[in-house]
Amino acid sequence: MLAYHRKFHPEIISDFSGITDSELNLPATFWEETRFPIQHRLHRYEAHFVQHTIQIDKALVAIGQAPSESKRLIRKIYAASAEAEEIMIGAEKMDETAILATASSIYGKN
């Protein structure tokens, strides 16, 4: 499973970097009748993933396998890494001013 995700991840990043802002506003149909913008769908996917993570944590606690402090810290590191990677999707198309503004924003969070 890890090998699959290691192979698949760069492909997704490459595909997503080609999505334009106008494309993110295009309507997408899923299981309900209402057509929501693609950007909304992507945010809902993220929220859904968080919900699954919480359910997995609850199951681990129930079977006596609650994550240790170090595992919780590692999870935070991976989450921060993912956020930084998310910000950089499509960065090769950005001009230097936008890149410096993004770096300044990240630096300001510390």
Side-chain angles (χ1 to χ4, degrees):
M1 185 178 241
L2 286 174
Y4 169 78
H5 284 282
R6 284 188 183 116
K7 177 191 173 295
F8 194 54
H9 184 78
E11 294 174 22
I12 291 174
I13 298 300
S14 176
D15 289 348
F16 276 39
S17 70
I19 298 173
T20 66
D21 288 343
S22 60
E23 288 173 323
L24 286 173
N25 290 318
L26 292 173
T29 303
F30 196 53
W31 55 271
E32 75 276 2
E33 294 178 17
T34 305
R35 298 183 73 187
F36 292 101
I38 293 170
Q39 183 174 18
H40 173 81
R41 298 272 182 216
L42 292 172
H43 285 291
R44 288 300 310 143
Y45 177 76
E46 177 186 15
H48 188 73
F49 186 70
V50 168
Q51 291 168 340
H52 277 286
T53 303
I54 290 169
Q55 293 304 316
I56 290 167
D57 281 348
K58 289 168 65 176
L60 288 171
V61 168
I63 63 170
Q65 298 294 318
S68 64
E69 181 179 354
S70 60
K71 286 184 180 180
R72 291 171 194 227
L73 290 170
I74 289 169
R75 183 184 294 167
K76 297 283 252 175
I77 291 168
Y78 274 113
S81 176
E83 186 177 341
E85 184 176 35
E86 171 192 351
I87 291 168
M88 296 308 297
I89 293 175
E92 66 276 357
K93 299 174 189 170
M94 295 173 65
D95 66 16
E96 189 172 325
T97 304
I99 292 170
L100 291 173
T102 301
S104 178
S105 172
I106 293 169
Y107 182 74
K109 290 182 179 183
N110 293 327

